[in-house]
Amino acid sequence: MRLEVLDSLSDPAKPGGENEDRIGWNASAAFVIDGATSLGDPVVAPPASDAAWIAEWARERMAAGLAPDRSLREIVRDLSAAARAQFFASAAPDVERYRHPSASFQSLRLTEAGLEIAGLGDCTLFLRDGAGSLTRYSGLRAGRSGEQSGARMALNRMGGLNAAGEGFRDAETLAALRASRARHNTAGGVWTLGIHPEAGEHVRIEMPEAPMPALGLLCSDGFADILDNYALHTTAGLMDRAERNGLAPLLAEIRRIERDIDPNGLQFPRYKRSDDASAVLVRVSG
């Protein structure tokens, strides 16, 4: 099999702002990483956020480590263990758990056993195989409806996003988000990429027998909102548009909703006016 990157982009939520997403690829793999917005003061590397730090840490190691013959669980364990050591070189031993850096990822890789699709958290792969069948893959099994419901309750209390375009800084919402984040990488929470090596055992890995050639769209949740929140396309329409016109026009549609049509988040509930949005469009041929 052969992997070809057709297009890619990674756009910060605010022009000139810090981008906490990362994208990457090598000869046999492509991936997207989404650092979770920090809910407290940074620990590791100001002026970079801890979210951007863990995303870049993972990008470097995944680009180098995602070879066809390596265990993905081992890669996640190793990069998380090294990140943990780095984090606690700066953090107090009792640092609040909600401040542990956390990220989602989704990858597509050509391995010795075939096509491997893997992820933790809410990044996504849309795959259209050679027979035209469409499948969505994500490390997050529960979907994102709970996130939108929580955002709607917060916005109803606040009357919309604040002047900075945020809907999560009021005390009640921030407390709820911190409590949820503190459960990450525990038996009762979401498993993510970060500083907990045991997350490697919880990576969702699938090995589909997809007819070739296949078209794959890897994206962070800020890009997947084009379907999940804004419903601007069907999955089939999204893949067709990406293949025909590239990713930039799709990003422009997302930003138009967020900045022009619904800047206060009342029509399409969300915790931020805009999120970092990243995507990689790939073709796999056999």
Side-chain angles (χ1 to χ4, degrees), residues 5-21:
V5 174
L6 303 178
D7 197 7
S8 66
L9 58 77
S10 189
D11 187 63
K14 299 177 182 179
E18 183 168 47
N19 190 345
E20 296 173 337
D21 285 357

Side-chain angles (χ1 to χ4, degrees), residues 258-270:
E258 296 166 346
R259 296 169 182 170
D260 300 331
I261 295 175
D262 185 39
N264 287 319
L266 297 176
Q267 184 177 352
F268 303 102
R270 54 201 189 272

Side-chain angles (χ1 to χ4, degrees), residues 1-6 26-30 68 108-111 114-115 127 212-216 281-286:
M1 289 190 292
R2 176 174 175 266
L3 184 147
E4 177 187 7
V5 174
L6 303 178
N26 58 33
S28 59
L108 182 152
R109 180 169 59 143
L110 312 183
T111 74
L115 184 65
L127 187 73
M212 296 293 142
L215 185 72
L281 184 68
V282 301
R283 177 175 290 121
V284 180
S285 53

Side-chain angles (χ1 to χ4, degrees), residues 127-134 209-215 284:
L127 187 73
R128 188 186 71 200
D129 69 24
S133 294
L134 290 161
E209 295 184 2
M212 296 293 142
L215 185 72
V284 180

Side-chain angles (χ1 to χ4, degrees), residues 177-217:
L177 291 173
R178 284 174 170 176
S180 176
R181 184 73 60 81
R183 293 193 296 272
H184 279 197
N185 300 303
T186 70
V190 176
W191 289 91
T192 63
L193 196 64
I195 63 169
H196 296 276
E198 59 271 29
E201 304 308 314
H202 297 271
V203 179
R204 188 176 189 180
I205 298 177
E206 300 178 70
M207 305 285 294
E209 295 184 2
M212 296 293 142
L215 185 72
L217 176 60

Side-chain angles (χ1 to χ4, degrees), residues 41-112:
D41 292 335
V43 172
V44 180
S49 70
D50 288 349
W53 170 75
I54 194 64
E56 177 61 19
W57 182 277
R59 183 201 66 78
E60 292 177 354
R61 286 152 182 80
M62 292 181 80
L66 281 173
D69 60 346
R70 282 203 66 191
S71 161
L72 191 141
R73 297 192 192 281
E74 178 183 290
I75 293 167
V76 170
R77 284 195 299 267
D78 289 351
L79 74 85
S80 300
R84 185 179 184 87
Q86 183 78 6
F87 180 76
F88 281 107
S90 301
D94 61 348
V95 64
E96 299 94 332
R97 194 175 176 96
Y98 68 76
R99 294 171 69 189
H100 289 189
S102 178
S104 300
F105 87 92
Q106 192 70 32
S107 64
L108 182 152
R109 180 169 59 143
L110 312 183
T111 74
E112 295 175 340

Side-chain angles (χ1 to χ4, degrees), residues 149-258:
S149 175
R152 185 178 294 281
M153 288 190 291
L155 293 172
N156 286 343
R157 283 196 304 272
M158 298 172 62
L161 299 168
N162 64 19
E166 297 173 337
F168 63 93
R169 294 298 184 185
D170 70 290
E172 184 175 344
T173 302
L174 189 58
L177 291 173
R178 284 174 170 176
S180 176
R181 184 73 60 81
R183 293 193 296 272
H184 279 197
N185 300 303
T186 70
V190 176
W191 289 91
T192 63
L193 196 64
I195 63 169
H196 296 276
E198 59 271 29
E201 304 308 314
H202 297 271
V203 179
R204 188 176 189 180
I205 298 177
E206 300 178 70
M207 305 285 294
E209 295 184 2
M212 296 293 142
L215 185 72
L217 176 60
L218 293 147
C219 56
S220 63
D221 62 342
F223 194 93
D225 270 341
I226 196 169
L227 296 187
D228 294 345
N229 203 355
Y230 312 144
L232 295 176
H233 300 282
T234 63
T235 304
L238 175 68
M239 298 299 286
D240 289 344
R241 285 284 304 277
E243 183 178 34
R244 185 172 64 251
N245 300 324
L247 299 174
L250 297 168
L251 176 66
E253 292 181 28
I254 294 169
R255 297 309 190 213
R256 181 170 178 267
I257 289 282
E258 296 166 346

